[in-house]
Amino acid sequence: IPRPQGATSYWWRTPDWVSAQALIARAQEEGILIASGLPFFHEDPPPAQHFRIGFTSIKTKKVGPGLEALGKIVKGLQ
């Protein structure tokens, strides 16, 4: 099995006033799937502003519009 060269996802941090969990839920309503960063932290409580965007299964032409949509969702959560 060939191994991927480099990463398969990007880590992002929301502004302090946006919970990643709220963003994840709202994004899912729009058909955008992003993953919570909570399971990857050992802090108690874990930081609430981190999430991951996997990109290996996303068509290139959908990346830009998806990121723009995420930006609008973040602004809407203000």
Side-chain angles (χ1 to χ4, degrees), residues 15-35:
D16 289 338
W17 42 267
V18 175
S19 161
Q21 297 309 112
L23 176 61
I24 291 165
R26 182 69 185 92
Q28 187 172 359
E29 292 172 6
E30 298 294 325
I32 301 168
L33 301 178
I34 57 179

